[in-house]
Amino acid sequence: MEDITFAVLGTGGIGRRALEVSADKDDLTPVAACDRHGVAVDHDGLDVDELLAATEGNVASDGGTATADAGGATKEHGAESGVVASAQATPTETPIDDVIAEREAVDAVLVALPNLEHDFIPRVAERFADAGYEGVLVDVLKRSRVIGMLDDREEMLRESGITFVCGAGASPGFLTGAAALAAQSFVEVDSVDIRWGVGLKSGYEDNRGTVREDIAHLDGYDVETARDLTDEEIAEIIDANDGVLEFEDMEHADDVLLERAGICDAEHVTVGGVLDLRNDEKPTTTTVAVTGRTFDGEVGTNTFELDDDTSMEANVNGPALGYLKAAVRRNRTGDYGVYGPAELMPGF
């Protein structure tokens, strides 16, 4: 496969780690990256080490504290972002538009932006389509209802020559694909139970986006209330739970993604997990359990398990880049539209 050039929208936790992982992928070359204050572009390949050093501690851009309106302006609170501190970067008030302007040099775009407005990422996709971008968009969004918003735009994306992979992280993403494979033993799937465990000793300060989005899944909270929480209020929630947040029956897009792939009804999928913000060790082993009936009438459960030593970063960004590579293969053959992680195998 020929080399792939890609851009990263957002250099908070997920965006930074994607750039870092790409350094170990010989056929992936990052040529553009942005946060809400700056954009870095080099068609020959960004200096990832320099960019990572400049954005160290830059968590606001994936921290759910900045959102973009349809025209590219931003509303923000919280820490200053860091791309603009890089020698490769240029200050800007229209970071997404500046990356779109480089569309001829970019095969794929990893969207690592906050999604604390349900239609935010779908609107970003619209902006790329309206500008005439022909290539790949990949996101790691979590919420079930967003998938429908992307499906509503599929004809537009298809006509624009865009291949969009939605929910391409760990869950949804890696674990959704694992469930689809585990289901192959059965002619009927009764249930899919996804349980994840994440340890983040670095805490909220270095993982604002992940933590804020997860808090939206707690009882008594939703996207709107989580978005409006101050940093102090989030710290109080964490302290009140001794640093360990437990989630049950989350609105994770694994359900609709497995349904659209024909594996089972969305209502048969449950997702829950435990997030420990004071220890790096996983508080529970991440597993996918698929229960179903075989052609000969037997009922069984296939279980997929992640090793406890694989980090959240490895399990989110590795699959995200793998799905990006798979989508580029499809895009280069003229296969456009919206895909979920249960509908294609990621590249390595």
Side-chain angles (χ1 to χ4, degrees), residues 188-211:
E188 183 178 2
V189 172
D190 295 326
S191 66
V192 176
D193 184 27
I194 297 173
R195 300 288 300 177
W196 54 265
V198 171
L200 292 174
K201 188 176 182 180
S202 51
Y204 171 61
E205 288 302 314
D206 289 336
N207 303 279
R208 292 172 185 258
T210 296
V211 176

Side-chain angles (χ1 to χ4, degrees), residues 3-9 28-34 39-46 96-111 128 132-138 161-163 324 328 331-332:
D3 286 350
I4 296 169
T5 58
F6 76 101
V8 176
L9 301 185
L28 290 178
T29 302
V31 295
C34 73
V39 60
V41 177
D42 188 332
H43 293 179
D44 294 324
L46 295 171
I96 296 175
D97 290 335
D98 290 355
V99 172
I100 293 174
E102 304 295 331
R103 59 190 176 276
E104 296 295 332
V106 177
D107 296 317
V109 179
L110 176 64
V111 183
F128 274 86
Y133 176 64
E134 298 178 2
V136 166
L137 298 174
V138 174
I162 292 174
T163 307
L324 181 149
V328 169
N331 187 264
R332 287 176 176 174

Side-chain angles (χ1 to χ4, degrees), residues 1-20:
M1 186 173 184
E2 296 178 4
D3 286 350
I4 296 169
T5 58
F6 76 101
V8 176
L9 301 185
T11 55
I14 291 173
R16 283 175 47 81
R17 289 155 187 155
L19 290 168
E20 187 175 10

